[in-house]
Amino acid sequence: YQNVLATAETLNRLGEASVKNGTGKIFGHNHRLEFTTQYVDPETGELKSAWQLLVENTDPRYVTFQLDVGWATVAGEDAVALVEEFGDRIELLHVKDAIVTVPGGGNEAVCQQTTIGQGDVDWASLFAAAQGDVKLYVLEMDPRDNWSPFTFAADSFEYVDCLVF
């Protein structure tokens, strides 16, 4: 818990310096663990993710967030609900789709990244929720064997281009 608060303090300090030197806000980016690592807030007794604590303990003048939708989904988060609740703090969506599985009845989710529109993310609802707050969208798939970044990008953009929201 204290490490998360220290990270928030560091983000505030770096973000303030970044804004003052003209480069703009600093972006916090998540992976799965920022959502699956949870702490009891000593003030409220509420269980909160490390990501939520970072959002709540950073200054919106200096720190914004890049929500990696794929990793949030793998962590079991509802990306639409995150954007609806914290949209004013999320200026960038990391557009990444994933097929989430829990192999062998375990409790650790595994993700297979895929072309946008072929995974578990509800993109129409997410893009609708993001309108007004999110300013930037970055399409990404982590490199893997036997894939073409050009085919991935073309197929993903074709899906998004035909999406109605």
Side-chain angles (χ1 to χ4, degrees), residues 9-24:
E9 185 178 309
T10 300
L11 286 170
N12 282 329
R13 184 173 37 77
L14 294 173
E16 183 176 9
S18 183
V19 167
K20 285 182 178 177
N21 77 20
T23 25

Side-chain angles (χ1 to χ4, degrees), residues 51-119:
W51 187 84
Q52 184 177 355
L53 290 168
L54 288 173
V55 172
E56 292 175 354
N57 289 282
T58 51
D59 188 329
R61 296 174 300 168
Y62 307 125
V63 181
T64 190
F65 290 86
Q66 172 186 2
L67 178 64
D68 188 315
V69 174
W71 284 118
T73 301
V74 171
E77 292 292 323
D78 178 345
V80 174
L82 288 171
V83 169
E84 288 172 345
E85 183 174 355
F86 299 103
D88 61 338
R89 295 300 310 280
I90 301 168
E91 292 186 21
L92 191 154
L93 277 186
H94 204 149
V95 178
K96 183 190 295 182
D97 211 343
I99 299 168
V100 181
T101 58
V102 181
N107 59 5
E108 186 70 25
V110 175
C111 105
Q112 174 189 349
Q113 290 184 38
T114 188
T115 301
I116 306 305
Q118 294 181 0

